[in-house]
Amino acid sequence: MMRQQMVRYELTQIPWLKRLLVSRWPLFLARAVTLAGFVLTIVAGLIGSPVGSHNFAIVFVWIAWWTFLKLIALPFGGRAWCSICPIPMMGEWIQQGALVEPGGKGLGLGRQWPKRLRNVWLPTLGFGVIGLFSAVTLTQPRVTGWVLLGFILLAVVLSLVFERRAFCRHVCPIGGFIGLYSRVAPVEVRVRDRAVCATHEEKTCVTGNAQGHGCPWQAVPIALTQNTNCGLCMECLRSCSRDNIAVNVRPFGADLAQRAGRSLDQAYFGFMMLGSVVIYSAVMLGAWGNLKTAAYNVGTPGWFVYAAVLLAFTLGVLPGLFLVAVWTGRALAGSKASLKKAFIAQSHAIIPLGLMAWVAFTISFSFAKFSYVWSVLSDPFGWGWNLFGTAQLPWTPYLSSLTPLLQVLALLGGLVWTSIWVRRIAQEELPEKSAARQAMPVMLFCLVFTIGMLWLLVG
Amino acid sequence: MATRGLKQEWLARLILALLLVAAIATPFAVQWTQTHDWARNANATTIELRARMAENGGWSSDAINTTVGQRLHLRLTSDDVIHSFAVGQTDWPVLDIKPGEVVTTDLVFDRPGRYTFFCTRWCGPNHWRMRGVIEVTDPKSDTTRLPTAEPPLFQKLGFDIDAMPVLGPQAEQSLAQLTGLPSAERGAALHVELPAELRQRDWLRTHTPAEAFSLLRNDSTYDDLLNAQIWDVVALAWHSATTDATIARGARLFTRDCVACHGERGRGDGPAGRDLPGLQKMVPDVKRGPADFTNLQRMAGLSDAHLQGKLLRGGMGTGMPEFGSLYTADEQWAVIAFVRGFARDSTNK
């Protein structure tokens, strides 16, 4: 029953900032640099040292970039990374026939993405597959190099066959991850006045014009109610002839109030993320040698058991327990609402908990291992270089005494944040007291999950 | 696109091309300059040697050719765990090779020969397989033959080092009555004069402690000594034939090369030796695994020359690698002197 209009501050009201966002050059330069870095990463992965801690590919992708993404870019910028991600760039430039200026003669069949796959089931599957091979991918530079090369080639091929950024929106597992959690980020692109859009017949934000391409993410700005499918590329800001697009700062978690976009595939992606962070924490930070061995030795019987447990836990046990919690809450509240609908709605409330669990997981190794960045900067291939005189800097864990505290704060913060939304979402359909009863078992589920993560990460 | 747009487009393409070329070409360019550092590596042969656990391939190259006087510039790195690089029968310091790091060393050989390089870190179950050969030839000499080393003592004497130790009934019986290990300190406290044989290093190297025991027992000078005291005197004889410095050197080598199989206390219980057959294949009655140097019945029947033979050649089929190509003669005797101490009371404990 609750409707709440959250406050926003429009960043595009600041003239210099708007000019910066509209200009193609800052974004192009950032993209060009990340693409060059990406190519360097692939080269380092494929021909550099096989020792992960001395290879740019492992240290920059799985420590530096991952830390930046999880602790800064995603919580504060949503899909900001997607706007400069190098993976779809080459495909997009081929498709558009230009690097900066619209109007080029592009290549590609321009087919529509199949309707059946217009969801996040493929990214869910992709993230599951990444999880199965994570122990190898995250430690072996060659594997990281091949995976990144595979991603970029797949993105190019899909750009040549399908229209716009089909790879980003429907295939990329990291894109799915970012899309899911970008809903809580405090930045958004939205239309200023829907009435203006309604009377704008050309819809240049969708079709494109001389100033900007039609939305590469195939979003329709007037219909944008959440960040999931907005890549923050600013094309609509450039192409809107009515100057009706705004970039806003808003409260954290604003999209969670939006009912539109809640779907079973998104819910399951959330459970894949929730389960994956548990499994990753157990494998990478736990003290169970057999589990590490099983995860690392791909193709062995132990690995098959690990794979079965990972998939069963993320796609079966966790959603199953959550379903039981929702069913119990529904029974306690005497709600007549559809169980499926309640399950989907409540599963979106645990997005903050999932994000904070990933933040806590990332904190556990990012500070401890960040000092590898300095030595790898001087010797990115592990070939004995010392370009900046930092190659011999010893490994030094940072903030080791603060790490457990930050992790506890992140997890408890995530629990409180999620509990608030569990209650609010329950109140969408139920009176306050019934909503509280509906929310209680789901909160218990979140509490048990939080305790489990605290045990895994802090001990 | 308008003319201005076209210009911007081409500028963007140029920037992108430069960045991509830099990303791809820079690593190769820097590496090329590193390996072709003409000033530093003038007249040197640069060789990159990668160390991997034997199970993963061992040294990236197990044969290096060079000539006398030629500077060999080695760039060493490890692809997995900590290894090290040592050259057998030389005094060159052992270099640790940490995973992903590069250490360099320059070697110049002043004599032709086959030099074994090897890892001294227990890097895996097949660590001892991490060996390679540096073949040094002399271009000024017509002959390609390498100098032949003097045959070791056990070969000169024609010892069968695969034969089981023989104690003789007198020594065997007396050993069965011993309640502890012989002690050189107790032997010294007896203040007896050692016979001439037991003061000669060559005699001690070519005879067994059991033979020394029989010599003393059958000498009426020592009639008033108990069997246990005779064994103490034998212990004193072997102990007196070496020095503390030699024992310390032997200890360092034993710790580096032998402990993993033979154990810290020489009992043959090191973790790397658990799956080794030892002599059991040849002699089923013998306990499986590496030799137990605290076993007096066994050690009393082996001469130093016999032990040297085992060390030089390795134990055929037992899992014991050869150290003949690694140790100098002094190092061999130092290890043997140290190992002898395991079958004596107090020493090496």
Side-chain angles (χ1 to χ4, degrees), chain A residues 25 28-29 32-33 35-36 39-40 47 49-51 54 93 97-102 104 381-385 387, chain B residues 1 5 8-9 11-13 15-16 19-20 23-24 26-28 30-31 34 50 75 78-80 99-102:
Chain A
W25 279 95
F28 166 74
L29 290 174
V33 168
L35 182 61
V39 170
L40 182 72
I47 66 172
S49 169
V51 179
H54 288 78
W93 286 333
L99 301 185
V100 285
E101 291 297 317
F381 292 77
W383 286 348
W385 304 356
L387 299 176
Chain B
M1 273 187 261
Q8 292 212 353
E9 182 63 26
L11 178 62
R13 289 179 185 185
I15 291 169
L16 184 67
L19 283 170
L20 291 180
I24 296 170
T26 304
F28 297 100
V30 175
Q31 186 64 2
Q34 295 257 327
R50 310 185 78 82
R75 289 170 48 83
S78 161
D79 286 353
D80 41 38
E101 294 183 12
V102 177

Side-chain angles (χ1 to χ4, degrees), chain A residues 283-314:
Chain A
V283 171
M284 290 169 200
L285 307 169
W288 304 286
N290 290 341
L291 181 62
K292 287 180 202 296
T293 305
Y296 194 80
N297 292 300
V298 174
T300 60
W303 178 81
F304 280 107
V305 172
Y306 161 75
V309 169
L310 186 146
L311 294 176
F313 182 71
T314 51

Side-chain angles (χ1 to χ4, degrees), chain B residues 67-335:
Chain B
T67 53
V68 170
Q70 172 73 26
R71 196 152 61 90
L72 204 56
H73 180 65
L74 294 179
R75 289 170 48 83
L76 306 156
T77 189
S78 161
D79 286 353
D80 41 38
V81 296
I82 291 186
H83 296 277
S84 72
F85 177 85
V87 181
Q89 301 185 344
T90 69
D91 293 332
W92 286 323
V94 178
L95 292 173
D96 271 346
I97 313 171
K98 293 177 186 168
E101 294 183 12
V102 177
V103 285
T104 59
T105 187
D106 288 349
L107 304 179
V108 181
F109 294 85
D110 55 8
R111 284 185 304 146
R114 286 169 66 84
Y115 298 83
T116 300
F117 65 88
F118 61 105
C119 172
T120 65
R121 289 279 196 168
W122 283 91
C123 52
N126 287 301
H127 150 76
W128 65 272
R129 289 183 188 274
M130 288 207 56
R131 296 181 180 187
V133 171
I134 303 172
E135 188 129 13
V136 185
T137 52
D138 187 353
K140 290 176 186 165
S141 168
D142 292 340
T143 177
T144 53
R145 286 176 58 195
L146 303 170
T148 310
E150 193 184 347
L153 200 52
F154 82 95
Q155 277 182 356
K156 279 190 202 169
L157 299 171
F159 278 6
D160 176 9
I161 59 171
D162 292 320
M164 289 304 286
V166 178
L167 291 171
Q170 206 174 18
E172 193 168 357
Q173 197 179 0
S174 65
L175 280 175
Q177 293 165 353
L178 281 185
T179 54
L181 290 173
S183 159
E185 287 81 6
R186 286 199 303 269
L190 293 170
H191 300 295
V192 294
E193 188 177 347
L194 292 170
E197 292 90 334
L198 268 63
R199 282 183 272 123
Q200 293 168 17
R201 198 182 63 178
D202 288 348
W203 193 94
L204 290 169
R205 281 183 178 170
T206 54
H207 291 79
T208 67
E211 288 169 332
F213 173 86
S214 298
L215 182 81
L216 292 168
R217 187 69 292 171
N218 296 325
D219 186 337
S220 57
T221 317
Y222 307 100
D223 278 353
D224 55 340
L225 294 181
L226 300 170
N227 282 343
Q229 289 173 316
I230 295 283
W231 279 113
D232 289 338
V233 175
V234 171
L236 173 65
W238 256 268
H239 183 66
S240 303
T242 187
T243 63
D244 288 346
T246 302
I247 288 178
R249 188 180 190 184
R252 282 195 298 274
L253 291 168
F254 185 86
T255 304
R256 191 186 81 182
D257 298 329
C258 316
V259 157
C261 293
H262 288 281
E264 201 180 353
R265 293 174 183 271
R267 291 176 182 156
D269 56 358
R274 280 176 197 149
D275 296 326
L276 297 179
L279 281 169
Q280 203 182 48
K281 275 188 182 171
M282 284 71 84
V283 189
D285 295 343
V286 174
K287 205 181 100 187
R288 189 179 163 80
D292 175 2
F293 299 130
T294 63
N295 182 339
L296 190 56
Q297 275 76 7
R298 178 182 166 76
M299 295 301 285
L302 296 170
S303 66
D304 285 5
H306 192 116
L307 290 171
Q308 186 202 28
K310 292 277 192 189
L311 192 61
L312 290 181
R313 191 204 67 179
M316 307 276 274
T318 65
M320 163 88 178
E322 64 88 13
F323 286 84
S325 57
L326 311 189
Y327 287 175
T328 60
D330 286 348
E331 287 173 331
Q332 293 158 23
W333 296 121
V335 169

Side-chain angles (χ1 to χ4, degrees), chain A residues 193-236:
Chain A
D193 183 351
R194 285 168 191 269
V196 174
C197 291
T199 58
H200 185 209
E201 291 177 3
E202 291 88 352
K203 296 283 187 296
T204 48
C205 56
V206 177
T207 58
N209 57 15
Q211 279 69 47
H213 297 283
C215 178
W217 287 75
Q218 294 183 287
V220 181
I222 189 176
L224 266 184
T225 55
Q226 54 186 311
N227 285 349
T228 311
N229 295 325
C230 172
L232 297 180
C233 61
M234 304 299 154
E235 288 298 343
C236 54

